[in-house]
Amino acid sequence: MDAASGNERGTTERVLTLLGLLQQRQVWTGPELADRLGVTPRTVRRDVERLRTLGYPVHASQGVGGGYQLGPGQHLPPLLLDDQEAIATAVSLLAGAGGAVAGAGDAALRALTKLDQVLPTRLQYEVRALSGSVESFGGGRTPVDPEVLMTLARACRDEVEADFDYPSGSEVRRRRVEPYRLVASDRRWYLFAYDLDRDDWRSFRVDRMTDASARTWRFCPRAAPDAATYVQEGVASRAYPHQARFLVHASADTVRAQIPASAAVVRRRGSELCEVLSGAASLDFVLMHVLLLGHDFEVLDPPELGRRCRALAERLLSAGATVSQVPDMEEP
Protein backbone atom coordinates (compact mmCIF):
# COMPACT_ATOMS: atom_id res chain seq x y z
CA MET A 1 0.00 0.00 0.00
CA ASP A 2 2.85 2.37 0.87
CA ALA A 3 4.56 1.57 -2.43
CA ALA A 4 1.34 2.25 -4.34
CA SER A 5 0.89 5.56 -2.53
CA GLY A 6 4.49 6.47 -3.27
CA ASN A 7 4.07 5.66 -6.95
CA GLU A 8 0.89 7.72 -7.14
CA ARG A 9 2.57 10.66 -5.43
CA GLY A 10 5.54 10.37 -7.77
CA THR A 11 3.26 10.37 -10.82
CA THR A 12 1.38 13.41 -9.53
CA GLU A 13 4.60 15.33 -8.92
CA ARG A 14 5.90 14.41 -12.36
CA VAL A 15 2.67 15.51 -14.08
CA LEU A 16 2.75 18.84 -12.21
CA THR A 17 6.39 19.27 -13.23
CA LEU A 18 5.41 18.55 -16.83
CA LEU A 19 2.69 21.21 -16.61
CA GLY A 20 5.19 23.71 -15.27
CA LEU A 21 7.56 23.01 -18.16
CA LEU A 22 4.79 23.43 -20.73
CA GLN A 23 3.91 26.81 -19.20
CA GLN A 24 7.53 27.99 -19.40
CA ARG A 25 8.08 27.55 -23.13
CA GLN A 26 5.90 27.52 -26.23
CA VAL A 27 7.02 24.18 -27.70
CA TRP A 28 8.87 21.16 -26.24
CA THR A 29 9.88 18.05 -28.14
CA GLY A 30 9.13 14.65 -26.64
CA PRO A 31 12.82 13.78 -26.10
CA GLU A 32 13.44 17.15 -24.41
CA LEU A 33 10.62 16.57 -21.94
CA ALA A 34 11.69 12.99 -21.33
CA ASP A 35 15.21 14.16 -20.57
CA ARG A 36 14.03 16.89 -18.18
CA LEU A 37 11.69 14.52 -16.36
CA GLY A 38 14.05 11.54 -16.37
CA VAL A 39 11.49 9.22 -18.02
CA THR A 40 10.89 7.63 -21.40
CA PRO A 41 9.03 9.36 -24.26
CA ARG A 42 6.25 6.82 -23.77
CA THR A 43 5.78 8.01 -20.17
CA VAL A 44 5.70 11.59 -21.42
CA ARG A 45 2.86 10.65 -23.79
CA ARG A 46 0.91 9.06 -20.91
CA ASP A 47 1.44 12.13 -18.71
CA VAL A 48 0.27 14.40 -21.53
CA GLU A 49 -2.94 12.35 -21.69
CA ARG A 50 -3.37 12.82 -17.94
CA LEU A 51 -3.13 16.58 -18.38
CA ARG A 52 -5.69 16.49 -21.18
CA THR A 53 -8.04 14.55 -18.91
CA LEU A 54 -7.70 17.32 -16.32
CA GLY A 55 -8.73 19.92 -18.90
CA TYR A 56 -5.36 21.20 -20.13
CA PRO A 57 -5.36 21.50 -23.94
CA VAL A 58 -1.95 20.02 -24.80
CA HIS A 59 -1.43 19.95 -28.58
CA ALA A 60 1.03 17.66 -30.34
CA SER A 61 2.48 18.28 -33.81
CA GLN A 62 4.87 16.27 -35.99
CA GLY A 63 7.84 17.29 -38.14
CA VAL A 64 10.52 19.95 -37.88
CA GLY A 65 9.55 22.50 -35.21
CA GLY A 66 6.88 20.18 -33.87
CA GLY A 67 6.37 18.96 -30.34
CA TYR A 68 4.07 19.49 -27.39
CA GLN A 69 2.41 22.85 -26.88
CA LEU A 70 0.00 24.09 -24.18
CA GLY A 71 -2.82 25.96 -25.87
CA PRO A 72 -5.86 27.98 -24.76
CA GLY A 73 -9.00 26.05 -23.84
CA GLN A 74 -12.68 26.57 -23.12
CA HIS A 75 -12.13 26.67 -19.35
CA LEU A 76 -9.38 28.17 -17.25
CA PRO A 77 -7.45 25.36 -15.53
CA PRO A 78 -5.17 25.97 -12.52
CA LEU A 79 -1.86 27.69 -13.20
CA LEU A 80 1.49 26.75 -11.70
CA LEU A 81 3.58 29.67 -10.44
CA ASP A 82 7.13 29.65 -9.17
CA ASP A 83 8.11 31.83 -6.19
CA GLN A 84 9.00 34.92 -8.21
CA GLU A 85 5.83 34.68 -10.31
CA ALA A 86 3.64 34.24 -7.21
CA ILE A 87 5.19 37.30 -5.52
CA ALA A 88 4.79 39.44 -8.63
CA THR A 89 1.18 38.31 -9.06
CA ALA A 90 0.28 39.00 -5.42
CA VAL A 91 1.82 42.49 -5.46
CA SER A 92 0.03 43.33 -8.72
CA LEU A 93 -3.27 42.12 -7.27
CA LEU A 94 -2.72 44.21 -4.15
CA ALA A 95 -2.22 47.26 -6.36
CA GLY A 96 -5.41 46.44 -8.28
CA ALA A 97 -7.41 45.83 -5.11
CA GLY A 98 -6.18 49.12 -3.70
CA GLY A 99 -7.55 51.05 -6.63
CA ALA A 100 -4.44 51.57 -8.75
CA VAL A 101 -6.07 49.59 -11.56
CA ALA A 102 -9.41 51.15 -12.48
CA GLY A 103 -12.34 48.75 -12.35
CA ALA A 104 -10.22 45.80 -11.25
CA GLY A 105 -10.72 46.02 -7.50
CA ASP A 106 -13.32 43.29 -6.94
CA ALA A 107 -11.75 40.74 -9.25
CA ALA A 108 -8.26 41.51 -7.92
CA LEU A 109 -9.36 40.96 -4.32
CA ARG A 110 -11.11 37.67 -5.17
CA ALA A 111 -8.00 36.41 -6.96
CA LEU A 112 -5.75 37.64 -4.15
CA THR A 113 -7.87 35.79 -1.57
CA LYS A 114 -7.50 32.55 -3.53
CA LEU A 115 -3.76 33.07 -3.91
CA ASP A 116 -3.38 33.90 -0.23
CA GLN A 117 -4.96 30.56 0.69
CA VAL A 118 -2.11 28.61 -0.93
CA LEU A 119 0.78 31.10 -0.69
CA PRO A 120 3.63 29.67 1.43
CA THR A 121 4.44 31.58 4.61
CA ARG A 122 7.97 32.29 3.40
CA LEU A 123 6.53 34.26 0.46
CA GLN A 124 3.95 36.22 2.45
CA TYR A 125 6.68 38.30 4.10
CA GLU A 126 8.15 39.21 0.71
CA VAL A 127 4.71 40.18 -0.60
CA ARG A 128 4.15 42.49 2.39
CA ALA A 129 7.55 44.11 1.92
CA LEU A 130 7.05 44.69 -1.80
CA SER A 131 3.44 45.89 -1.45
CA GLY A 132 4.68 48.72 0.75
CA SER A 133 6.57 50.13 -2.21
CA VAL A 134 3.56 50.11 -4.58
CA GLU A 135 1.90 53.50 -4.93
CA SER A 136 -0.44 55.23 -7.36
CA PHE A 137 -1.36 58.79 -8.25
CA GLY A 138 -4.35 60.59 -9.67
CA GLY A 139 -7.91 59.36 -9.23
CA GLY A 140 -9.06 56.09 -7.83
CA ARG A 141 -10.07 54.78 -4.46
CA THR A 142 -8.99 56.05 -1.08
CA PRO A 143 -5.89 54.03 -0.14
CA VAL A 144 -6.41 51.22 2.36
CA ASP A 145 -4.00 49.11 4.38
CA PRO A 146 -3.46 45.87 2.40
CA GLU A 147 -3.12 43.92 5.65
CA VAL A 148 -6.54 45.12 6.82
CA LEU A 149 -8.08 44.34 3.44
CA MET A 150 -6.64 40.81 3.42
CA THR A 151 -7.62 40.18 7.06
CA LEU A 152 -11.24 41.07 6.26
CA ALA A 153 -11.21 39.07 3.02
CA ARG A 154 -10.01 35.99 4.92
CA ALA A 155 -12.66 36.49 7.61
CA CYS A 156 -15.41 36.72 4.95
CA ARG A 157 -14.06 33.61 3.24
CA ASP A 158 -13.71 31.57 6.43
CA GLU A 159 -16.97 32.85 8.04
CA VAL A 160 -15.29 33.88 11.29
CA GLU A 161 -15.96 36.93 13.43
CA ALA A 162 -13.76 39.99 13.06
CA ASP A 163 -13.09 43.04 15.21
CA PHE A 164 -11.44 46.39 14.62
CA ASP A 165 -11.14 49.92 16.00
CA TYR A 166 -13.50 52.36 14.29
CA PRO A 167 -14.21 56.09 14.88
CA SER A 168 -17.64 56.98 16.25
CA GLY A 169 -18.06 60.71 16.75
CA SER A 170 -15.09 61.92 18.77
CA GLU A 171 -14.29 58.42 20.06
CA VAL A 172 -12.69 55.30 18.64
CA ARG A 173 -14.52 52.14 19.63
CA ARG A 174 -13.88 48.43 19.19
CA ARG A 175 -16.44 46.91 16.81
CA ARG A 176 -17.22 43.19 16.73
CA VAL A 177 -18.90 41.93 13.57
CA GLU A 178 -19.82 38.97 11.40
CA PRO A 179 -18.18 39.96 8.07
CA TYR A 180 -20.10 39.01 4.93
CA ARG A 181 -18.75 40.92 1.93
CA LEU A 182 -16.17 43.50 0.92
CA VAL A 183 -17.79 46.03 -1.44
CA ALA A 184 -15.85 48.44 -3.67
CA SER A 185 -17.35 51.73 -4.78
CA ASP A 186 -15.78 54.08 -7.30
CA ARG A 187 -13.99 55.78 -4.38
CA ARG A 188 -13.69 53.47 -1.38
CA TRP A 189 -13.73 49.94 0.06
CA TYR A 190 -16.53 49.02 2.48
CA LEU A 191 -17.16 46.04 4.72
CA PHE A 192 -20.75 44.80 4.80
CA ALA A 193 -21.22 43.05 8.13
CA TYR A 194 -23.63 42.22 10.94
CA ASP A 195 -22.75 44.36 13.97
CA LEU A 196 -22.97 42.03 16.99
CA ASP A 197 -23.12 44.86 19.54
CA ARG A 198 -25.94 46.70 17.74
CA ASP A 199 -27.79 43.63 16.41
CA ASP A 200 -28.15 45.10 12.94
CA TRP A 201 -26.51 45.26 9.51
CA ARG A 202 -23.88 47.92 9.01
CA SER A 203 -21.36 49.07 6.41
CA PHE A 204 -17.90 50.26 7.47
CA ARG A 205 -15.27 52.19 5.54
CA VAL A 206 -12.14 50.06 5.41
CA ASP A 207 -9.84 53.10 5.25
CA ARG A 208 -11.12 54.18 8.69
CA MET A 209 -10.35 50.85 10.37
CA THR A 210 -7.30 50.14 12.51
CA ASP A 211 -6.04 47.07 14.33
CA ALA A 212 -8.32 44.69 12.42
CA SER A 213 -8.15 41.02 13.33
CA ALA A 214 -10.00 37.84 12.45
CA ARG A 215 -11.21 35.79 15.41
CA THR A 216 -11.41 31.99 15.64
CA TRP A 217 -15.15 32.00 16.44
CA ARG A 218 -17.11 30.79 13.41
CA PHE A 219 -20.63 32.05 12.73
CA CYS A 220 -23.62 30.61 10.89
CA PRO A 221 -24.47 32.99 8.00
CA ARG A 222 -27.74 34.91 8.43
CA ALA A 223 -30.25 35.78 5.73
CA ALA A 224 -28.66 38.98 4.46
CA PRO A 225 -29.73 41.83 2.18
CA ASP A 226 -27.83 42.31 -1.05
CA ALA A 227 -24.43 43.65 0.02
CA ALA A 228 -23.76 46.00 -2.91
CA THR A 229 -27.29 47.48 -2.81
CA TYR A 230 -27.16 47.97 0.96
CA VAL A 231 -23.78 49.69 0.88
CA GLN A 232 -24.68 51.89 -2.08
CA GLU A 233 -27.93 53.06 -0.47
CA GLY A 234 -26.05 53.80 2.73
CA VAL A 235 -23.31 55.77 0.99
CA ALA A 236 -25.64 57.68 -1.33
CA SER A 237 -28.57 58.27 1.02
CA ARG A 238 -28.71 56.94 4.58
CA ALA A 239 -25.43 58.58 5.61
CA TYR A 240 -26.99 62.05 5.16
CA PRO A 241 -29.52 63.92 7.31
CA HIS A 242 -31.83 64.46 4.32
CA GLN A 243 -32.95 61.88 1.71
CA ALA A 244 -34.93 62.51 -1.46
CA ARG A 245 -36.56 60.43 -4.20
CA PHE A 246 -37.24 61.63 -7.74
CA LEU A 247 -38.92 60.18 -10.79
CA VAL A 248 -36.68 61.19 -13.70
CA HIS A 249 -37.94 61.14 -17.29
CA ALA A 250 -34.91 59.39 -18.80
CA SER A 251 -33.64 55.82 -18.97
CA ALA A 252 -31.76 54.36 -16.02
CA ASP A 253 -28.70 53.78 -18.21
CA THR A 254 -28.64 57.44 -19.25
CA VAL A 255 -28.89 58.72 -15.69
CA ARG A 256 -26.34 56.23 -14.31
CA ALA A 257 -23.84 57.59 -16.82
CA GLN A 258 -24.40 61.08 -15.37
CA ILE A 259 -24.31 60.30 -11.63
CA PRO A 260 -21.51 58.48 -9.76
CA ALA A 261 -22.72 55.34 -8.01
CA SER A 262 -21.57 56.78 -4.69
CA ALA A 263 -23.82 59.85 -5.15
CA ALA A 264 -27.18 58.24 -5.93
CA VAL A 265 -29.06 54.99 -6.40
CA VAL A 266 -30.75 54.78 -9.81
CA ARG A 267 -33.59 52.26 -10.21
CA ARG A 268 -35.17 51.35 -13.50
CA ARG A 269 -38.87 52.27 -13.86
CA GLY A 270 -39.56 51.27 -17.43
CA SER A 271 -37.61 51.98 -20.60
CA GLU A 272 -37.72 55.79 -20.33
CA LEU A 273 -38.21 56.39 -16.62
CA CYS A 274 -36.06 55.85 -13.54
CA GLU A 275 -36.15 56.54 -9.84
CA VAL A 276 -33.25 58.42 -8.25
CA LEU A 277 -32.56 58.11 -4.52
CA SER A 278 -29.98 60.45 -3.02
CA GLY A 279 -29.10 62.30 0.15
CA ALA A 280 -27.25 65.42 1.26
CA ALA A 281 -26.83 67.83 4.12
CA SER A 282 -29.29 70.15 2.36
CA LEU A 283 -32.35 69.33 0.24
CA ASP A 284 -31.50 72.29 -1.99
CA PHE A 285 -28.19 70.60 -2.84
CA VAL A 286 -29.93 67.39 -3.98
CA LEU A 287 -32.48 69.38 -5.93
CA MET A 288 -29.77 71.36 -7.73
CA HIS A 289 -27.96 68.21 -8.88
CA VAL A 290 -31.14 66.55 -10.21
CA LEU A 291 -32.07 69.78 -11.99
CA LEU A 292 -28.66 69.93 -13.66
CA LEU A 293 -29.14 66.45 -15.15
CA GLY A 294 -31.20 68.20 -17.83
CA HIS A 295 -34.25 65.88 -17.71
CA ASP A 296 -37.84 66.46 -16.65
CA PHE A 297 -38.44 65.06 -13.17
CA GLU A 298 -41.01 64.79 -10.37
CA VAL A 299 -40.45 64.89 -6.62
CA LEU A 300 -41.63 61.68 -4.95
CA ASP A 301 -40.37 62.25 -1.42
CA PRO A 302 -40.23 64.12 0.95
CA PRO A 303 -43.31 66.40 0.66
CA GLU A 304 -41.43 69.49 1.80
CA LEU A 305 -39.10 69.14 -1.19
CA GLY A 306 -42.05 69.78 -3.51
CA ARG A 307 -42.78 72.99 -1.67
CA ARG A 308 -39.11 73.90 -1.89
CA CYS A 309 -39.23 73.35 -5.67
CA ARG A 310 -42.06 75.85 -6.04
CA ALA A 311 -40.31 78.44 -3.86
CA LEU A 312 -37.08 78.13 -5.84
CA ALA A 313 -39.00 78.25 -9.14
CA GLU A 314 -40.64 81.53 -8.13
CA ARG A 315 -37.27 82.96 -7.12
CA LEU A 316 -35.72 81.94 -10.47
CA LEU A 317 -38.64 83.42 -12.43
CA SER A 318 -38.32 86.64 -10.49
CA ALA A 319 -34.57 86.77 -11.12
CA GLY A 320 -35.07 86.21 -14.84
CA ALA A 321 -37.78 88.86 -15.12
CA THR A 322 -35.57 91.61 -13.67
CA VAL A 323 -32.59 91.05 -15.99
CA SER A 324 -33.94 93.26 -18.80
CA GLN A 325 -34.71 96.09 -16.36
CA VAL A 326 -31.11 96.44 -15.17
CA PRO A 327 -29.30 99.19 -17.18
CA ASP A 328 -26.02 98.31 -18.77
CA MET A 329 -23.02 99.55 -16.84
CA GLU A 330 -20.96 102.10 -18.70
CA GLU A 331 -17.24 101.54 -18.84
CA PRO A 332 -15.18 104.32 -17.23
Side-chain angles (χ1 to χ4, degrees):
M1 191 61 138
D2 291 340
S5 299
N7 290 337
E8 182 177 345
R9 184 166 56 250
T11 300
T12 302
E13 292 174 354
R14 190 180 65 248
V15 171
L16 289 174
T17 302
L18 172 61
L19 177 59
L21 291 172
L22 290 172
Q23 289 177 342
Q24 288 178 13
R25 209 167 80 184
Q26 187 171 8
V27 178
W28 290 85
T29 66
E32 286 176 330
L33 290 173
D35 181 63
R36 293 292 292 268
L37 296 171
V39 296
T40 65
R42 183 178 179 182
T43 301
V44 170
R45 289 194 294 270
R46 286 201 300 263
D47 289 347
V48 166
E49 286 302 321
R50 291 187 177 99
L51 287 176
R52 289 169 176 163
T53 302
L54 293 172
Y56 294 93
V58 183
H59 305 304
S61 57
Q62 302 293 328
V64 178
Y68 293 103
Q69 181 179 17
L70 186 64
Q74 281 187 312
H75 306 287
L76 180 65
L79 300 175
L80 290 181
L81 303 175
D82 61 26
D83 286 6
Q84 289 75 23
E85 292 168 340
I87 292 170
T89 301
V91 172
S92 298
L93 290 172
L94 278 169
V101 182
D106 288 324
L109 184 60
R110 289 197 304 271
L112 185 59
T113 306
K114 294 177 181 178
L115 183 60
D116 171 74
Q117 195 168 13
V118 297
L119 199 66
T121 304
R122 69 177 188 278
L123 301 184
Q124 292 178 354
Y125 296 107
E126 294 190 53
V127 169
R128 292 191 190 102
L130 284 174
S131 64
S133 65
V134 177
E135 304 219 4
S136 61
F137 62 90
R141 297 192 187 101
T142 302
V144 297
D145 185 343
E147 287 291 329
V148 173
L149 200 62
M150 282 305 304
T151 296
L152 298 174
R154 293 188 198 106
C156 292
R157 178 193 68 198
D158 300 335
E159 295 179 348
V160 295
E161 292 181 10
D163 53 11
F164 46 85
D165 291 335
Y166 198 78
S168 177
S170 59
E171 300 178 336
V172 176
R173 298 179 180 177
R174 196 70 180 169
R175 308 297 285 267
R176 188 170 58 94
V177 302
E178 294 175 355
Y180 278 70
R181 293 288 185 275
L182 281 163
V183 179
S185 76
D186 51 350
R187 297 174 57 195
R188 298 185 177 95
W189 278 103
Y190 295 87
L191 173 68
F192 171 66
Y194 190 84
D195 192 318
L196 294 169
D197 296 321
R198 291 161 176 75
D199 289 327
D200 202 1
W201 297 101
R202 291 286 190 274
S203 61
F204 302 91
R205 278 177 51 174
V206 176
D207 61 290
R208 290 182 173 176
M209 296 179 184
T210 53
D211 194 22
S213 62
R215 301 156 64 92
T216 57
W217 186 265
R218 295 180 63 87
F219 62 86
C220 182
R222 308 168 188 262
D226 180 76
T229 300
Y230 182 93
V231 172
Q232 186 190 12
E233 290 180 354
V235 171
S237 177
R238 289 192 302 268
Y240 296 97
H242 299 284
Q243 292 83 42
R245 287 192 308 127
F246 303 89
L247 183 67
V248 178
H249 292 243
S251 70
D253 291 340
T254 298
V255 175
R256 286 192 186 111
Q258 295 178 281
I259 306 178
S262 57
V265 178
V266 181
R267 298 171 177 152
R268 189 179 302 276
R269 292 290 183 265
S271 60
E272 294 301 325
L273 291 173
C274 66
E275 181 180 322
V276 174
L277 173 66
S278 187
S282 163
L283 286 176
D284 284 358
F285 188 80
V286 181
L287 187 60
M288 177 190 71
H289 277 274
V290 175
L291 178 65
L292 292 177
L293 293 177
H295 311 297
D296 291 339
F297 66 92
E298 303 164 33
V299 175
L300 299 178
D301 204 41
E304 61 265 28
L305 187 55
R307 295 189 291 271
R308 188 62 187 155
C309 275
R310 289 188 289 274
L312 289 175
E314 291 173 1
R315 184 182 300 175
L316 289 170
L317 286 171
S318 175
T322 59
V323 170
S324 60
Q325 302 175 17
V326 178
D328 293 333
M329 298 293 293
E330 295 183 3
E331 294 184 4

